[in-house]
Amino acid sequence: MLDKHGIAQRIAKEIKNGYYVNLGIGIPTLVANYIPEGLDVVLQSENGLLGMGPFPLAGEEDADLINAGKQTITTLPGSAVFDSAMSFGMIRSQKVDLTILGAMEVSENGDIANWKIPGKMVKGMGGAMDLVASAKNIIVAMQHVNKAGESKLLTSCSLPLTGVNCVRKIVTELAVLDVLPQGGFLLLERAPGVTVDEIKRATAGKLVIAGDVPEMR
Amino acid sequence: MINKVVAGAEAAIHDIPHGATLMLGGFGLCGIPENCITALVNKGVSQLTCISNNAGVDDFGIGLMLHKHQVKKMISSYVGENAEFERQLLSGELEVELVPQGTLATRCMAAGYGMPAIFTPAGVGTEVAEGKEIRVFNGKEYLVEHAFEADFALVKAWKGDTAGNLVYRLTARNFNPVMAMAGKITIAEVEELVPEGALDPDHIHTPGIYVHRIFQGEGYEKRIEQRTVRNSW
């Protein structure tokens, strides 16, 4: 079973040389720590920055330089800043190659719910709806089951949707799965020490198993 | 050039009436018009509709206006950092309209470009689409989202000249340029007000035609919402 760093580390393997990548808040932010050496990858922060660098050293924080999670960050040589309309322009026009974000639920046809729980204070969708509506490649990083032990991989989402038919891949503490174009979660890899039966039990939506499912390397 | 300079925040906002619709630049607490917000709190105008990506925190930014019950409605994409906001929302004192962040920015941009509406895929198939017109282009659905109309846009820039030309710094740019373009009256506060000619025309982010009033701000706190640091490389 993977911890959140393990999930981030596995997702980082999906990043290819030359990618522009938008990382959401939470586990997706950790992916930046595991981008393989030698790859030229540019991180986009949707408040208006390309080329997001690491957190600043203590004493070098700049109130004018934050990421979409409002954390202090740095620029890198070659960084560019721009306004919020242009930022979502490059997202909408699919210049950003890969979007990694968290979710509360994903359905077997790739619908995602990650912004609202009825009856609880609604904080807002931020940029999530824009990102999922336009991104060409969306990977979800999340726990396979919620705190109540219920599966988050469902036939259809029960929570209000953020976007429809958009998620391509899911990495959880148990498994790596693709969302098939015709519907269903294709089991690609098992997390270390996790059995196919455990993944079956934790998946409420249609799980597709084709042959032997390898353990994650 | 036409001189846009006013004496200060109080003069700049003197004619903002009760019930006005305002745009306020900034993302979180980054790049917010601190001086204008303080002046609005002091003036005490209320029943305001505020278009702003966020609603500040309890004791800073738009949170200061919420604390004085000056806001009737917030139009934002994310309002999660404010307990007083939550209390007023749950008690029904405050109305909120949540708008996807890119839609929010682009509805500002549309106003500044003189276009009545945009087509965006954000929110298709979700509750954001409820009651909205859908148009299909090349087989894909888009929501028709209308340009905002704001009586006043309040923006913060790093530098500005007496002609109202503005330059922003780093990610404090965020919503400020598109809101500057969208206000019927746009008020810019700057950290450094310079004479005309001091800014390179090639480096101007917001041309002065969009700015009606400009003033040198003072006492910027520039509060950091999430101070994150690393120990070493």
Side-chain angles (χ1 to χ4, degrees), chain A residues 137-210:
Chain A
N137 191 5
I138 298 173
I139 302 178
V140 162
M142 67 175 188
Q143 300 298 314
H144 215 101
V145 296
N146 65 20
K147 283 178 184 141
E150 299 155 344
S151 179
K152 296 168 72 172
L153 286 78
L154 305 171
T155 306
S156 61
C157 294
S158 62
L159 294 170
L161 295 179
T162 308
V164 294
N165 196 10
C166 54
V167 176
R168 295 284 189 82
K169 191 181 286 287
I170 305 164
V171 179
T172 74
E173 78 281 18
L174 302 180
V176 181
L177 312 100
D178 267 355
V179 178
L180 294 168
Q182 67 273 29
F185 302 108
L186 175 64
L187 182 56
L188 296 175
E189 297 173 20
R190 297 172 290 117
V194 174
T195 66
V196 170
D197 277 345
E198 285 174 277
I199 296 165
K200 275 185 187 167
R201 280 199 297 276
T203 307
K206 181 182 169 190
L207 185 67
V208 179
I209 299 165

Side-chain angles (χ1 to χ4, degrees), chain A residues 20-23 42-54 64-68 71-88 90-91 96, chain B residues 27 101 169-174:
Chain A
Y20 291 92
V21 181
N22 181 289
L23 301 177
V42 176
L43 300 181
Q44 199 251 17
S45 188
E46 68 266 23
N47 53 318
L49 175 66
L50 275 169
M52 178 168 62
D64 288 340
L65 187 52
I66 62 170
N67 64 16
Q71 297 170 310
T72 45
I73 48 159
T74 54
T75 56
L76 295 171
S79 285
V81 291
F82 34 83
D83 67 63
S84 301
M86 184 180 282
S87 183
F88 284 93
M90 63 186 71
I91 288 164
V96 177
Chain B
F27 179 88
Q101 193 178 335
R169 183 171 176 274
L170 296 171
T171 57
R173 190 183 312 193
N174 57 63

Side-chain angles (χ1 to χ4, degrees), chain B:
Chain B
M1 293 285 167
I2 301 168
N3 190 318
K4 308 286 178 74
V5 177
V6 295
E10 197 183 332
I13 63 118
H14 76 279
D15 55 350
I16 293 181
H18 292 289
T21 296
L22 310 181
M23 285 179 175
L24 295 102
F27 179 88
L29 302 178
C30 179
I32 60 172
E34 294 183 23
N35 282 234
C36 282
I37 289 170
T38 302
L40 284 168
V41 170
N42 291 340
K43 182 172 159 69
V45 278
S46 61
Q47 294 294 105
L48 299 171
T49 295
C50 293
I51 302 167
S52 175
N53 190 59
N54 310 95
V57 296
D58 272 311
D59 60 345
F60 200 56
I62 292 175
L64 297 171
M65 293 161 64
L66 288 163
H67 192 71
K68 290 279 183 74
H69 303 273
Q70 293 176 274
V71 182
K72 179 184 70 174
K73 182 178 181 181
M74 282 298 311
I75 300 175
S76 304
S77 85
Y78 191 81
V79 293
E81 319 297 343
N82 196 318
E84 176 63 13
F85 182 97
E86 183 171 347
R87 193 198 63 72
Q88 290 186 22
L89 182 63
L90 295 174
S91 70
E93 292 168 61
L94 179 67
E95 196 183 334
V96 62
E97 180 181 338
L98 292 168
V99 177
Q101 193 178 335
T103 301
L104 187 78
T106 313
R107 288 173 69 186
C108 296
M109 193 198 79
Y113 275 81
M115 300 187 297
I118 61 164
F119 306 111
T120 177
V124 168
T126 76
E127 64 183 51
V128 166
E130 284 169 15
K132 289 179 183 157
E133 184 186 348
I134 290 180
R135 293 282 301 271
V136 177
F137 296 95
N138 300 320
K140 185 171 171 171
E141 291 186 346
Y142 296 82
L143 299 186
V144 178
E145 296 273 13
H146 293 258
F148 283 122
E149 287 190 29
D151 302 311
F152 294 85
L154 313 179
V155 303
K156 153 82 192 335
W158 179 40
K159 291 182 181 179
D161 68 16
T162 53
N165 297 304
L166 303 177
V167 177
Y168 308 92
R169 183 171 176 274
L170 296 171
T171 57
R173 190 183 312 193
N174 57 63
F175 284 83
N176 284 299
V178 285
M179 288 185 171
M181 293 166 63
K184 286 176 193 153
I185 294 178
T186 290
I187 299 167
E189 57 175 87
V190 297
E191 289 180 55
E192 190 183 348
L193 182 64
V194 299
E196 60 185 25
L199 299 175
D200 183 337
D202 270 334
H203 293 171
I204 284 168
H205 298 135
T206 296
I209 190 170
Y210 285 114
V211 175
H212 302 83
R213 303 169 191 170
I214 188 169
F215 67 94
Q216 163 88 55
E218 56 189 30
Y220 282 105
E221 183 176 341
K222 296 176 73 166
R223 192 183 295 187
I224 292 173
E225 207 163 332
Q226 304 280 345
R227 187 178 300 274
T228 44
V229 296
R230 70 182 193 277
N231 293 322
S232 64
W233 264 100

